[in-house]
Amino acid sequence: MCTTHTISILVEHKPGVLQKVTGLFSRRGFNIESITVGSSEIENLARMVIVVYADNKGLEQVKKQLNKLVDVIKIQELHSNSSVKRELCLIKVQTKDSKARTEVFQYTDVFRCNIVDVCDNSVTIEVIGHPNKINAFIKLLKHYGIKKIARTGPTAVARGSAN
Amino acid sequence: MNGGEAILKALKEQDVDTIFGYPGGSVIPLYDSLYDDDLRHILVRHEQCAVHAAEGYARASGKVGVCLATSGPGATNLVTGIADANMDSTPLVAITGQVNLSAIGNDAFQEADMIGISMPVTKHSYQITNVDSIPSIVKSSFDIAKSGRPGPVLIDFPKEMQQGELSKYETTLIETPGYNPTLKGNIKQVTKSIDLIKKASNPIILAGGGVIISGASEQLAKFAKTINAPVVTTLMGKGAVPEDDDYALGMLGMHGRLVANKNINKSDLLIAIGCRFSDRTTGKIDEFIPNAKVIHIDVDPAEIGKNVDVDIPIVGDAFNVLKMFNDKLTKYEPNPNSIKWLDELKAKKTKFSLKTNYDTTPLMPQTVISEISESLTEDSIVTTDVGLHQMFAAHYLNVNKPRKFISSGGLGTMGYGFPAAIGAKVACEDDPVIAICGDGGFLMVSQELATIQSYDLPIIITILDNRKLGMVYQWQNLLYNKRLSQTDLGTVPDFVKLAESYGINGVNITKPGETKEVIKNAIKDNEAILLNIDIQKDEFLPMVPPGAAIEEVIGEYNFVDESLSNEDAAK
């Protein structure tokens, strides 16, 4: 049975590594729903957070194969109840009249988002939060007419433990 | 010192004595350095044969094989062999020329993205972008290629890096924090396994190529005899235990030996060592060893639990782990039931001896292979190509030492056998080397007759010639309603004349006894020869059809004892 998994991979920060990692998913026909890559707390190492829809047995094999890559240092699957997940999204939404603009501003406040750009007939909003929050916000803005959405895909870390 | 000189020096520091290659535009500077160097270079006649020869060299010697090709087409011609080495865990370093760094990505003449192309079929790869890093990259490539589960490493070598001057020749350690193969087994898992072994009435060992790679043959023989377990092998495991010994039941699988296939599912404990449970070995996986617990020993954790659920996984090098077992089993009292089980199987192995001495012409492949077997010396190395002749060889040839049977297993690469023989002969020049080929596979690489002639390599080439693409022809006959699509290879060439045109002796073999006589003489005279052996077109090897359970063998064997039938082997 296929479910959504979030995997955090610590890798060497150099050319070709992304291709090697994603190649192991595509070989099995797993579509990567999102992938974020950036520097980690260790110099020369990057952390990738991959969200993938996959069956458990197949994913287990992908994780083992990933572990074999010389450039991969560590793999951790992050579960929703023991990790923190955040995503950034930029939404450019139409505001035809001042009424629409006022409403959008109010929603932005309620969702604790930021307006990052305004022009005559549209505003651009920065939303940061769990992907569910972003989905809800997008749904709310839909009837104003969304011109553009750019999402980073979620990044995540495991929650701290007492030990 | 320039980059070309540096890489040759670095290779020699890794104990390389021979490389196999073919020049081209992007490696002219490297070949220029080679001109003044004492490193031996074998000039093959096609890059694919350079990599297969390097594989044969590695498999016969246990060392890392090295091949060299130019950028673009030269490099892409290596890909098949790199993939072959990746599947069969063969330690290999492939060096490919590359266009100048500044030209990369511009679709320059003979440019191919070799790092990208080879990524899914290499263990690791490096591109040299700094001449001073050459010694370190070579060392790291060899370390990765030969450690843990061995495999191919590619070094992409841009042309100006070959010409550039090093500021200093210095080998520093390239940190690979993500690469730490586990070589030592976990002693707790070993202890738990021994408890399972004590309880098992019908234990059986499945030995794969990992046993050979890790040099664990003696440890395995000792272990098997201590616990009274018969040993079956994969194709890659042939020679892991001496097949003449009565506890060795031979190869398991689609074309496995009858007693192995018919009895493996009776086992209550399977100890798999250095194997990956390929579909060709297990047959229908859901019906494989239904009543057995499984102990799986492998250096690659990704293989454990991949195809078969495992009760006790042990990650480690086969030699280390088997030694741990043997050290703990010094006062072992075997389970009495296991003694009975082993005795039964030993008796079956003898009882179900296969008939080989046919006097039919064209010759029966069984007769040819057994004649080859009888003519071999203890140290002879046999390589095979891929196809029906390979399976006849795996079935009818008894291999008694590791590294003496070299065949393309996982990838099943036609054209492998002859160039692999070249590599094996270069690695082990005192050992007779016999390539067993089919007519189809040999024709894919026949130009290498020029190589063996020019280096005076006394290789014995046997072509089991049925003028068919035999394995596919067999499947079409048995499984595809005799619709013989594109498997007739016609009547040309005359292989004897072909050999003679390269200055190699050739002989047509048509009668029983001739194969043995010619090979014996060739070994004695230490000369290259090609035997074109006319074999029966419609003699098929019994097989487990794809998707069927391992004991469902179709096709009847002819036994020495004519009263026996296939089904008796299961009783």
Side-chain angles (χ1 to χ4, degrees):
Chain A
M1 194 192 67
C2 289
T3 49
T4 300
H5 301 263
T6 305
I7 300 158
S8 170
I9 312 173
L10 190 65
V11 299
E12 301 218 22
H13 210 339
K14 56 186 191 193
V17 178
L18 182 64
Q19 191 183 348
K20 284 185 199 171
V21 169
T22 54
L24 290 176
F25 287 91
S26 60
R27 180 181 175 190
R28 286 188 172 256
F30 293 161
N31 184 39
I32 292 177
E33 303 202 355
S34 75
I35 182 164
T36 65
V37 192
S39 309
S40 71
E41 69 284 4
I42 304 161
E43 202 184 341
N44 301 327
L45 298 187
R47 178 162 281 110
M48 293 180 180
V49 175
I50 295 179
V51 178
V52 62
Y53 191 67
D55 69 276
N56 281 330
K57 195 169 160 82
L59 187 71
E60 199 50 44
Q61 188 57 31
V62 170
K63 286 183 347 197
K64 284 180 175 176
Q65 297 288 347
L66 284 168
N67 254 320
K68 282 174 69 174
L69 295 177
V70 173
D71 296 321
V72 169
I73 316 294
K74 198 179 171 196
I75 297 165
Q76 188 183 15
E77 181 154 2
L78 299 173
H79 300 282
S80 57
N81 53 1
S82 58
S83 64
V84 184
K85 194 187 259 188
R86 288 293 178 271
E87 182 177 2
L88 175 115
C89 172
L90 297 174
I91 308 167
K92 190 186 284 178
V93 61
Q94 278 182 347
T95 46
K96 278 182 259 172
D97 47 33
S98 61
K99 181 171 173 282
R101 184 175 298 176
T102 312
E103 286 175 8
V104 167
F105 275 32
Q106 280 172 350
Y107 287 142
T108 305
D109 269 352
V110 171
F111 272 77
R112 292 193 291 276
C113 313
N114 295 314
I115 307 284
V116 290
D117 188 42
V118 183
C119 73
D120 287 350
N121 55 7
S122 74
V123 296
T124 303
I125 307 161
E126 165 203 272
V127 200
I128 298 170
H130 192 278
N132 291 345
K133 170 185 163 178
I134 297 173
N135 292 341
F137 192 60
I138 292 171
K139 201 173 155 198
L140 198 58
L141 296 185
K142 240 175 197 159
H143 78 272
Y144 296 101
I146 290 172
K147 296 175 93 168
K148 234 164 228 167
I149 291 179
R151 296 178 74 152
T152 59
T155 188
V157 287
R159 288 185 182 275
S161 63
N163 303 329
Chain B
M1 179 186 289
N2 68 24
E5 290 159 354
I7 203 165
L8 297 177
K9 180 170 166 152
L11 288 173
K12 285 188 283 187
E13 283 174 357
Q14 294 301 322
D15 199 24
V16 174
D17 51 36
T18 310
I19 61 176
F20 302 87
Y22 201 87
S26 292
V27 284
I28 296 174
L30 179 47
Y31 273 92
D32 192 61
S33 304
L34 192 67
Y35 194 68
D36 299 321
D37 204 281
D38 58 359
L39 184 64
R40 186 179 190 199
H41 177 271
I42 303 285
L43 176 67
V44 293
R45 299 304 194 266
H46 188 291
E47 290 91 350
Q48 187 180 346
C49 297
V51 60
H52 291 327
E55 288 183 273
Y57 177 95
R59 295 266 297 271
S61 67
K63 289 168 65 177
V64 179
V66 183
C67 61
L68 171 60
T70 191
S71 66
T76 55
N77 277 343
L78 296 181
V79 173
T80 301
I82 292 172
D84 190 278
N86 196 46
M87 285 285 252
D88 288 346
S89 312
T90 303
L92 179 83
V93 169
I95 302 167
T96 52
Q98 183 55 276
V99 299
N100 282 335
L101 277 176
S102 55
I104 290 179
N106 291 349
D107 300 329
F109 177 64
Q110 292 194 330
E111 181 191 354
D113 172 15
M114 272 317 287
I115 298 282
I117 288 171
S118 66
M119 215 169 251
V121 292
T122 48
K123 192 172 172 187
H124 198 50
S125 52
Y126 286 105
Q127 186 173 58
I128 296 173
T129 53
N130 168 6
V131 273
D132 287 339
S133 69
I134 290 170
S136 311
I137 284 178
V138 170
K139 180 176 188 312
S140 182
S141 300
F142 276 75
D143 288 348
I144 291 171
K146 67 189 175 192
S147 58
R149 177 178 179 173
V153 177
L154 181 118
I155 302 177
D156 202 36
F157 199 5
K159 190 172 183 181
E160 84 262 52
M161 291 291 119
Q162 300 163 31
Q163 290 159 316
E165 288 293 319
L166 277 74
S167 63
K168 190 179 178 191
Y169 183 96
E170 188 182 17
T171 312
T172 53
L173 182 71
I174 296 178
E175 300 269 354
T176 48
Y179 181 68
N180 299 299
T182 307
L183 301 177
K184 205 168 162 287
N186 182 321
I187 189 74
K188 282 186 194 153
Q189 298 292 79
V190 172
T191 311
K192 261 168 73 184
S193 302
I194 290 174
D195 288 339
L196 266 191
I197 293 168
K198 276 182 191 156
K199 287 184 201 133
S201 300
N202 299 0
I204 195 160
I205 295 170
L206 173 60
V211 173
I212 293 172
I213 292 167
S214 74
S217 291
E218 282 175 23
Q219 294 291 341
L220 174 59
K222 194 173 162 192
F223 175 63
K225 285 175 183 169
T226 307
I227 66 166
N228 285 311
V231 179
V232 297
T233 71
T234 65
L235 177 70
M236 295 301 294
K238 254 188 101 66
V241 287
E243 290 188 295
D244 282 340
D245 275 12
D246 52 6
Y247 68 93
L249 303 182
M251 188 173 82
L252 176 75
M254 180 175 271
H255 297 279
R257 289 191 187 164
L258 190 65
V259 173
N261 281 12
K262 288 280 185 193
N263 292 281
I264 183 110
N265 281 357
K266 290 181 191 153
S267 73
D268 58 358
L269 175 66
L270 178 77
I271 306 165
I273 310 167
C275 72
R276 56 189 182 86
F277 291 108
S278 138
D279 52 291
R280 287 296 191 268
T281 298
T282 63
K284 188 177 184 184
I285 199 84
D286 300 339
E287 291 173 26
F288 182 62
I289 49 163
N291 307 315
K293 300 256 188 213
V294 177
I295 300 168
H296 191 179
I297 302 165
D298 204 291
V299 75
D300 180 359
E303 289 304 340
I304 295 179
K306 184 176 83 175
N307 296 333
V308 168
D309 290 334
V310 172
D311 296 279
I312 304 184
I314 307 180
V315 179
D317 176 78
F319 177 89
N320 292 345
V321 176
L322 284 170
K323 185 158 189 313
M324 286 165 88
F325 271 103
N326 286 332
D327 290 348
K328 285 199 83 112
L329 290 170
T330 46
K331 288 175 192 144
Y332 182 74
E333 290 292 329
N335 182 327
N337 291 335
S338 69
I339 302 174
K340 189 166 155 264
W341 155 254
L342 180 60
D343 285 346
E344 267 174 30
L345 286 172
K346 280 178 174 175
K348 274 188 189 171
K349 183 186 173 185
T350 316
K351 187 174 171 189
F352 288 86
S353 293
L354 297 170
K355 182 177 161 143
T356 55
N357 57 337
Y358 298 90
D359 50 14
T360 332
T361 51
L363 292 163
M364 295 283 269
Q366 298 89 326
T367 307
V368 174
I369 299 292
S370 60
E371 283 190 35
I372 293 173
S373 185
E374 285 159 19
S375 59
L376 298 180
T377 62
E378 204 189 20
D379 290 320
S380 296
I381 297 170
V382 171
T383 69
T384 82
D385 214 82
V386 167
L388 197 54
H389 70 279
Q390 175 193 30
M391 290 301 117
F392 270 110
H395 210 92
Y396 284 86
L397 201 67
N398 272 358
V399 181
N400 290 311
K401 279 182 167 184
R403 302 197 179 280
K404 299 296 180 194
F405 182 83
I406 297 171
S407 190
S408 169
L411 198 67
T413 310
M414 278 180 75
Y416 175 91
F418 178 31
I422 293 175
K425 187 69 200 177
V426 169
C428 307
E429 50 187 31
D430 296 332
D431 299 343
V433 174
I434 293 93
I436 302 180
C437 303
D439 52 301
F442 181 77
L443 207 52
M444 289 186 174
V445 291
S446 63
Q447 76 284 345
E448 298 305 321
L449 287 165
T451 308
I452 67 167
Q453 197 279 335
S454 51
Y455 291 94
D456 198 13
L457 297 170
I459 291 167
I460 299 163
I461 304 157
T462 56
I463 300 176
L464 273 65
D465 185 0
N466 55 7
R467 300 287 164 167
K468 296 282 180 211
L469 192 52
M471 181 60 86
V472 179
Y473 180 73
Q474 166 161 344
W475 282 46
Q476 288 172 338
N477 270 287
L478 300 177
L479 309 168
Y480 286 81
N481 221 3
K482 298 192 193 301
R483 289 158 59 83
L484 308 174
S485 180
Q486 304 294 319
T487 44
D488 190 319
L489 296 177
T491 55
V492 290
D494 180 329
F495 285 107
V496 168
K497 281 188 183 156
L498 182 72
E500 284 166 353
S501 78
Y502 285 96
I504 306 283
N505 285 335
V507 52
N508 280 312
I509 304 284
T510 52
K511 295 195 194 76
E514 288 178 349
T515 306
K516 188 173 166 180
E517 191 192 330
V518 173
I519 294 178
K520 278 195 153 175
N521 285 336
I523 291 176
K524 195 170 74 209
D525 301 340
N526 199 29
E527 65 172 16
I529 190 160
L530 181 146
L531 288 74
N532 188 51
I533 306 165
D534 187 22
I535 62 158
Q536 293 276 352
K537 291 175 178 33
D538 293 308
E539 183 55 27
F540 301 139
L541 187 60
M543 70 182 286
V544 179
I550 193 69
E551 67 250 286
E552 291 172 28
V553 178
I554 58 168
E556 281 292 324
Y557 287 95
N558 291 325
F559 301 101
V560 174
D561 177 350
E562 288 174 9
S563 69
L564 294 170
S565 76
N566 281 10
E567 285 318 303
D568 297 330
K571 287 174 193 160

